[in-house]
Amino acid sequence: MMLRLTLATRMALIILVGLIAVWIVLLASHYWARGGDMESARPPPARIAALVELLEGADSRLTPLILTAATTAAFEPRLVSAGSDAETILPLVDISERRPYEQVLGGRPLTMTISPDLSFGHRLRRLAALANNGLEFRIGLRTGQSLVIDTRSPVAVNRFGLPVGFFAGLVGTVIALLALLVMQRETKPLVRLAAAVDRVDLSNAPVPLPQPRRSAPEIRAVINAFNRLQGRLSGMMRARMALIGGISHDVRTFATRLRLRADFIPEEMERQRAIADIDDMVRLLDDALLSSRAGAGELSQEIVDFQEIVRAEVADRQASDARIVFTPATGAGGANVLGDRLALRRIVANVTDNALKYGQAAQVQTLRDGEAIVLVVDDEGPGIPPDQREILLEPFSRLESSRSRGTGGAGLGLSIVRTLAEAHDGTVEISDAPGRGARVSVRLPLFDKGRS
């Protein structure tokens, strides 16, 4: 059974490997910086030859002084009797390394062996000899004694003459590379998950993410949860649309009955109020249903001349003696928009009715702006404070002064406009009109036949 490491364990291993790699780099930098100050286990042949000449030509009383002067931490000479203190179990140095020393010693007997640190003890001396950082020179002097020189290098090397840390760094580099590959493989499902979240389309059937076979349990659990979430959201959206559709049908039936009964109200004023309330109720229901369709991506698409829609809506209001003027965009080319005709009509109707209700007049114009058509509606009301403009684009939001509940409306007009505009890849902006009042601008992309 394959061992399953959790995501936290894998990340901890990756961090540990990274720290080891940094430690190796720092250690290598230290050795590199101090490389010139360190003595080698292979001293220059001329140095050994000079020491041999001094010992053979000096008075026996000066011999200890010469040995003391030549001794360093990495170079320890001593005199022994010929044939004593011989070490035969240590490996000999290759003849190619002995030749430079033999040439300067003038035929004197020379033995070179690999000499480990004696602190390892007798049983571990063979194991310590594998770290080739020490040599023992045994030279026969003409005085009958033997000169034994123990040399050590601060940097341990192997039999190939390379620092032991070289292989540690090499292994660490390979491990770090494998860790990067593992980390990339572990994060790849998360990248696919993020892309899938951006592509979620509740108007279509959910597309489940494939389950990675060798990912951490946490990642597999997140992917499973996302797939379940897609299914629940899709089911909720279908249930929501079915509920709204059923309510819309029933309420329309009741509204039609009420409308017929309202015609029998004897008082003209009361009859008109009842008819207006019924019309507002149906309109509110239509707005809610249209907004839900837009949120679910169920709007139809057709090529619509947006200016003709604006012109028709303005003409309807002019027939009711409303103070509204329309100035269409000029210039070559049409103003075709790819979208839902009913939704586009509702955008124009809500913006113009909002201006007429709260600003007493509406100056409507369409402008071409590159690859977009902009509907601009100015009113003559008191305007909208800058800090309230974004709030008015939210559902059930109204200003307290002229746009209170007493003036009518449920605060859904501009919210519906923004929802429908965004469903057509458009935007809505509220600003100040040139003279006085508020300006609402709706920007919609034009239909490009070349991209269809």
Side-chain angles (χ1 to χ4, degrees):
M1 181 177 180
M2 183 180 297
L3 180 61
R4 295 290 186 179
L5 299 179
T6 64
L7 181 61
T9 303
R10 299 185 186 203
M11 296 303 297
L13 290 176
I14 292 173
I15 295 174
L16 179 61
V17 170
L19 293 176
I20 293 176
V22 171
W23 176 78
I24 292 175
V25 170
L26 293 177
L27 188 61
S29 301
H30 171 74
Y31 283 145
W32 181 269
R34 296 193 57 194
D37 301 334
M38 295 181 180
E39 295 188 60
S40 173
R42 291 161 176 75
R47 181 181 181 183
I48 293 182
L51 180 60
V52 169
E53 294 291 339
L54 284 175
L55 292 174
E56 289 180 342
D59 187 87
S60 58
R61 293 175 300 176
L62 299 178
T63 297
L65 297 177
I66 296 175
L67 294 175
T68 302
T71 300
T72 64
F75 189 90
E76 298 181 6
R78 67 181 188 274
L79 289 176
V80 298
S81 301
S84 64
D85 195 23
E87 180 65 70
T88 59
I89 65 172
L90 297 177
L92 297 175
V93 176
D94 187 79
I95 188 172
S96 60
E97 296 188 39
R98 298 200 310 268
R99 185 173 291 112
Y101 298 98
E102 292 175 345
Q103 291 175 353
V104 298
L105 290 177
R108 294 179 180 85
L110 171 65
T111 302
M112 291 176 59
T113 56
I114 299 176
S115 176
D117 193 340
L118 296 180
S119 62
F120 282 92
H122 178 75
R123 294 185 178 181
L124 297 180
R125 292 182 70 182
R126 283 188 175 274
L127 180 61
L130 297 177
N132 188 12
N133 64 324
L135 294 177
E136 181 184 274
F137 294 81
R138 187 174 294 272
I139 305 168
L141 302 181
R142 294 194 176 102
T143 60
Q145 294 177 303
S146 294
L147 173 63
V148 179
I149 304 174
D150 292 320
T151 62
R152 298 180 182 85
S153 175
V155 181
V157 295
N158 53 33
R159 291 185 176 181
F160 301 99
L162 297 174
V164 175
F166 173 81
F167 288 102
L170 181 61
V171 172
T173 302
V174 172
I175 294 177
L177 179 60
L178 294 177
L180 289 176
L181 295 177
V182 171
M183 183 172 61
Q184 181 183 10
R185 194 192 71 176
E186 291 297 330
T187 56
K188 190 177 295 184
L190 298 179
V191 175
R192 290 199 298 266
L193 177 61
V197 172
D198 292 333
R199 294 194 308 266
V200 169
D201 185 5
L202 299 181
S203 61
N204 297 320
V207 180
L209 278 177
Q211 185 66 254
R213 292 177 296 179
R214 296 185 178 180
S215 292
E218 291 87 349
I219 293 181
R220 297 200 306 274
V222 169
I223 292 177
N224 289 332
F226 173 75
N227 290 335
R228 292 193 299 270
L229 177 62
Q230 281 195 105
R232 287 196 296 267
L233 290 177
S234 180
M236 290 174 59
M237 184 59 66
R238 291 193 300 269
R240 172 187 174 187
M241 293 306 301
L243 176 63
I244 293 177
I247 293 176
S248 174
H249 178 270
D250 293 341
V251 172
R252 280 181 180 274
T253 302
F254 297 146
T256 302
R257 295 175 183 174
L258 290 175
R259 179 67 176 80
L260 293 175
R261 293 177 181 177
D263 291 336
F264 295 99
I265 298 177
E267 297 183 11
E268 178 68 19
M269 184 66 68
E270 292 297 329
R271 183 171 62 252
Q272 294 301 327
R273 288 180 179 176
I275 293 174
D277 288 342
I278 294 172
D279 291 341
D280 288 343
M281 180 179 64
V282 173
R283 185 187 181 101
L284 178 62
L285 181 64
D286 290 341
D287 283 347
L289 181 60
L290 195 58
S291 177
S292 298
R293 288 177 55 204
E298 294 186 356
L299 294 178
S300 62
Q301 287 190 339
E302 59 178 307
I303 301 175
V304 181
D305 189 338
F306 187 67
Q307 290 200 130
E308 290 301 322
I309 290 180
V310 178
R311 184 176 288 109
E313 293 294 325
V314 171
D316 289 344
R317 283 147 185 82
Q318 288 174 341
S320 302
D321 297 329
R323 294 175 56 196
I324 184 170
V325 179
F326 174 50
T327 304
T330 59
N336 292 331
V337 174
L338 182 64
D340 185 283
R341 182 181 296 273
L342 179 60
L344 294 175
R345 287 185 57 187
R346 187 55 52 86
I347 290 175
V348 179
N350 282 12
V351 175
T352 54
D353 289 345
N354 201 65
L356 292 172
K357 182 181 295 185
Y358 303 114
Q360 292 76 46
Q363 302 290 332
V364 182
Q365 58 179 325
T366 52
L367 305 172
R368 291 185 65 106
D369 184 10
E371 298 298 324
I373 184 76
V374 183
L375 171 66
V376 180
V377 179
D378 298 332
D379 63 36
E380 297 180 1
I384 302 175
D387 59 341
Q388 297 290 324
R389 293 170 182 173
E390 188 65 27
I391 299 176
L392 284 179
L393 296 175
E394 299 295 332
F396 306 105
S397 297
R398 302 174 305 276
L399 292 180
E400 289 297 326
S401 58
S402 64
R403 297 174 190 247
S404 65
R405 183 71 180 179
T407 62
L412 287 176
L414 293 180
S415 171
I416 298 296
V417 170
R418 183 171 72 171
T419 300
L420 298 179
E422 291 178 349
H424 290 81
D425 296 329
T427 58
V428 180
E429 181 182 358
I430 301 176
S431 58
D432 293 325
R436 55 170 297 188
R439 165 174 286 187
V440 178
S441 303
V442 180
R443 181 186 180 91
L444 298 172
L446 291 170
F447 176 69
D448 187 357
K449 295 181 179 180
R451 291 182 297 179
S452 61

